[in-house]
Each structure stands twice: as structure tokens, then as C-alpha cells.
Amino acid sequence: MKVRERLNQYFEEQGIGKPDGWFAMSVGGKRIRLFPQGPLRPLLLLHDVHHLYTGYGTGLGGEAEILAWELGSGGFRKYWFAWLDVGKILGLALLF
């Protein structure tokens, strides 16, 4: 199975739906489209692949775990704008 196929399957399992170029969240089982991914698309794809490989969920706790894992494994490299998530990482870590 190709990574893209496994990602699509994972999104379905998590109740997120197939990616459509929008940053979206599942709230109460309903998919809410927030904003277009634009230049974040390569980073978000990599982030989603990290969910596959680590097994961390997509809830708040899983997002805290995956963001901390990404930071601890070398950060976000050329995606300088992703470093803005460090505040979110710290906030989620305090909650969990």
C-alpha cells in the first residue's frame, strides 16, 4: 500500500475525511474547514505521515505528542513558520 493510500485510510479511520487542500478539524464528528493549506501543504503532509509512523492520535493529546515528537526529532527545518507552533506545543503539553 502506498503512503498516500494509507494516509487516506487513516483520515477515514480518524473521521477527518480525505484531504482537499484545506486545514480542517473534526468537531463533534463534523469536519470544519478552517483555511486553505497553501504553503503549509508539504509540512502538513509530513505531519500526517508522522501520525502514521508514531501511532499518535489526532485528538488534542495526540497533537501535543506529535508536535513534541516533531520538535524533539529536529524541528521543522526550512518551514520557519511552523516554529510558531512551539507555543501551541507548550500549551498542549501543560494540558496533558
Side-chain angles (χ1 to χ4, degrees):
M1 179 178 289
K2 294 182 179 181
V3 173
R4 175 68 67 189
E5 293 167 350
R6 179 61 186 113
L7 270 177
N8 287 336
Q9 180 183 16
Y10 179 76
F11 292 145
E12 292 296 324
E13 291 168 359
Q14 297 294 317
I16 298 171
K18 291 183 181 177
D20 61 359
W22 284 77
F23 181 74
M25 296 180 75
S26 181
V27 178
K30 185 175 182 179
R31 187 170 188 268
I32 308 294
R33 294 168 88 190
L34 301 174
F35 55 86
Q37 292 175 353
L40 294 174
R41 192 170 209 156
L43 179 65
L44 292 173
L45 177 62
L46 186 59
H47 174 86
D48 292 337
V49 170
H50 290 161
H51 276 287
L52 283 179
Y53 284 111
T54 62
Y56 295 139
T58 56
L60 287 178
E63 289 298 333
E65 290 173 320
I66 199 73
L67 289 169
W69 180 83
E70 288 172 338
L71 183 61
S73 66
F76 306 107
R77 307 214 189 279
K78 68 179 180 177
Y79 300 105
W80 60 269
F81 45 83
W83 284 97
L84 300 174
D85 264 351
V86 172
K88 184 169 58 174
I89 294 166
L90 295 174
L92 288 172
L94 290 174
L95 287 173
F96 294 95

